[in-house]
Amino acid sequence: MNPEEIFSMIKEASSCLEPVIRKTPVMISDAISGLSRAEVFLKMENFQRTGSFKVRGAYYKMSKMKGVKSVVAASSGNHAQGVSYSASLLGMKAKIVMPKYTPFFKVNAVKGYGGEAILHGETYDDAYLKAMEISKEEGIPFIHPFDDPEIIAGQGTIGLEISDLDFDAVIVPVGGGGLISGIAIAVKRLKPNAKVIGVQPAGAPSSYLSFREGRIVETDRAYSIADGVIVKRPGELTLKIMREFVDDIVLVDDREIARAIFLLLEREKTVVEGAGALPVAALLSGKLRLEGRRVVCVISGGNIDPSMLDRIMNRVLLLEGRQIKVMGVLPERPGQLKRVIDVVAELGFNIVEIEHERLNPLIHPGMTQVTLVLEVPGREYADLLISRLRGMGLEFSQVMF
């Protein structure tokens, strides 16, 4: 199918989806604009039904399957929810094969939308093979997460929705390439001078490598906190479209992704999953030269595991020096820990966590190891605390990250 045919499908999909999805807002971000020295707009697909853009492609694809009563898909996240939700609206049954270790909140979301969650295998690839087996045995269609023209067209409706804006570049998360393929076709058709830039995690770079080499490159292993875009290989169709319409794809690491998630929560008061934070991570990483330009970041979803969000928040606080971790040894005598706590109180620091370890075999039997996590105004305050404690004859040092 050629790009003009897909663009026609994008316009049809826009009409089809109008009564079903939310036309999500585009918000200017003063905070990210200031940090990146660009004028930054956020396309908030984390506000979309099911918490992700995936419902767009799933519903459009399934709405055209007349007479179909059941479908099957493989997914550990957003595609699963998009297919389940769409099936519930269209009077279909949806079987979703998910890896055994999929977080419970994602499994429960599928069930909540009326889908049947089938836990199988340890990876997406295992789940995919099982879903294809079910499709063949039961004679029901498989809904591919990205390498399908109707899925691409549904995702491309985002490109139509931002086309009224005056912008120089749009930055899009990339996994298998369905989202950026649809957006790129729409944007290049309507705003040919605008740049379309993809972002993929450094730990799962299959589309990045394939884009550069001009052929499908399959990675052996893939890992990132941006779990929504972890694929070992892009699609045949999506790679062809990316090579024709996408200007560039860049990589960001998990620290950059975590910082973007943190920033969007703290400054924009919005919860974003790892994949959704990729455009902001790329913009703040220094890998793109877009200073002074008007830029749209597609925030693709907000379905993040609460426990993962908690770990990311604490990690970033430590990395940015807004929390510090100090460790030392104290004589095993009454009142020694109080001496440390009194110094912390005098300096106005807040104690987040204390570990008091008596059984460490590497510590002298008459000593106790103490570790404190503290909220502080800035990283430089660690030196002040350590200096005060050492001045009291207490051996403490900062744990660095």
Side-chain angles (χ1 to χ4, degrees):
M1 181 168 288
N2 66 51
E4 280 301 316
E5 291 175 307
I6 293 179
F7 182 68
S8 296
M9 291 170 61
I10 291 172
K11 292 188 289 184
E12 179 186 76
S14 180
S15 298
C16 172
L17 292 170
E18 188 172 356
V20 176
I21 65 165
R22 296 184 179 124
K23 188 174 182 179
T24 53
V26 178
M27 301 164 50
I28 189 166
S29 173
D30 293 330
I32 299 169
S33 296
L35 290 169
S36 64
R37 298 194 297 279
E39 190 173 1
V40 180
F41 298 85
L42 308 177
K43 175 59 170 168
M44 307 297 284
E45 281 295 290
N46 56 321
F47 294 168
Q48 188 54 264
R49 297 190 188 279
T50 75
S52 160
F53 75 95
K54 286 284 191 177
V55 69
R56 294 174 180 263
Y59 185 87
Y60 178 60
K61 169 73 177 178
M62 293 163 64
S63 71
K64 297 178 75 66
M65 300 168 68
K66 305 303 182 185
V68 171
K69 300 298 182 182
S70 297
V71 297
V72 63
S75 171
S76 61
N78 293 333
H79 182 60
Q81 295 177 53
V83 171
S84 298
Y85 178 72
S86 299
S88 70
L89 296 180
L90 294 165
M92 297 179 182
K93 293 182 178 180
K95 295 186 176 185
I96 312 295
V97 187
M98 312 177 81
K100 287 189 293 186
Y101 302 113
T102 300
F104 291 128
F105 88 98
K106 295 183 178 181
V107 176
N108 291 336
V110 166
K111 293 177 180 178
Y113 291 126
E116 178 186 351
I118 302 169
L119 302 182
H120 177 84
E122 298 191 4
T123 67
Y124 168 78
D125 298 274
D126 296 333
Y128 170 81
L129 292 174
K130 181 64 175 178
M132 296 303 293
E133 180 184 311
I134 292 172
S135 175
K136 184 177 180 180
E137 289 179 354
E138 300 186 14
I140 59 177
F142 174 74
I143 308 299
H144 199 284
F146 51 84
D147 204 30
D148 180 290
E150 289 161 338
I151 294 289
I152 291 168
Q155 325 304 26
T157 57
I158 294 173
L160 295 185
E161 291 178 13
I162 64 173
S163 62
D164 291 338
L165 295 173
D166 177 19
F167 62 90
D168 301 299
V170 56
I171 310 177
V172 186
V174 178
L179 176 62
I180 197 170
S181 293
I183 289 176
I185 288 173
V187 167
K188 291 297 186 179
R189 178 70 168 74
L190 299 171
K191 303 182 81 67
N193 293 325
K195 299 288 187 184
V196 179
I197 301 168
V199 192
Q200 194 165 44
S206 60
S207 288
Y208 168 86
L209 296 173
S210 301
F211 179 78
R212 273 162 169 68
E213 296 192 22
R215 62 181 181 86
I216 295 290
V217 176
E218 184 169 343
T219 55
D220 294 331
R221 292 179 295 176
Y223 175 78
S224 172
I225 61 172
D227 57 341
V229 290
I230 294 178
V231 296
K232 291 187 175 181
R233 56 178 290 154
E236 298 282 351
L237 176 59
T238 56
L239 178 59
K240 180 181 177 182
I241 293 171
M242 287 190 288
R243 291 277 296 173
E244 184 174 354
F245 293 99
V246 173
D247 294 282
D248 197 10
I249 299 177
V250 299
L251 297 177
V252 292
D253 63 36
D254 275 8
R255 284 194 176 192
E256 291 165 328
I257 299 168
R259 181 169 179 253
I261 292 171
F262 182 93
L263 181 67
L264 286 161
L265 180 60
E266 183 180 49
R267 303 295 293 275
E268 295 301 335
K269 316 306 177 191
T270 189
V271 175
V272 175
E273 63 188 83
L278 287 171
V280 173
L283 198 56
L284 299 181
S285 70
K287 297 179 176 73
L288 304 175
R289 295 286 177 250
L290 295 171
E291 294 86 351
R293 305 294 183 88
R294 292 170 63 88
V295 180
V296 178
C297 292
V298 178
I299 308 300
S300 59
N303 294 322
I304 187 168
D305 185 342
S307 62
M308 172 63 78
L309 181 61
D310 180 62
R311 292 196 297 273
I312 288 170
M313 295 299 103
N314 288 320
R315 182 71 174 173
V316 174
L317 285 169
L318 287 166
L319 288 171
E320 294 198 344
R322 293 163 61 177
Q323 287 185 0
I324 60 171
K325 191 173 187 178
V326 297
M327 180 184 294
V329 291
L330 299 175
E332 187 81 52
R333 295 198 300 269
Q336 294 303 303
L337 181 57
K338 181 178 182 299
R339 295 175 66 197
V340 176
I341 293 174
D342 285 345
V343 174
V344 171
E346 288 171 16
L347 294 173
F349 303 161
N350 186 46
I351 298 174
V352 177
E353 184 178 319
I354 296 179
E355 295 179 7
H356 193 259
E357 177 59 72
R358 292 179 172 179
L359 303 179
N360 187 336
L362 301 178
I363 302 299
H364 188 280
M367 307 295 284
T368 297
Q369 180 176 289
V370 174
T371 305
L372 297 94
V373 179
L374 308 169
E375 289 181 343
V376 296
R379 193 184 304 277
E380 65 277 11
Y381 287 84
D383 294 335
L384 176 60
L385 174 63
I386 298 299
S387 177
R388 288 282 298 273
L389 292 174
R390 289 180 176 173
M392 297 165 59
L394 302 176
E395 287 300 319
F396 272 79
S397 60
Q398 184 178 3
V399 179
M400 301 302 292
F401 295 89

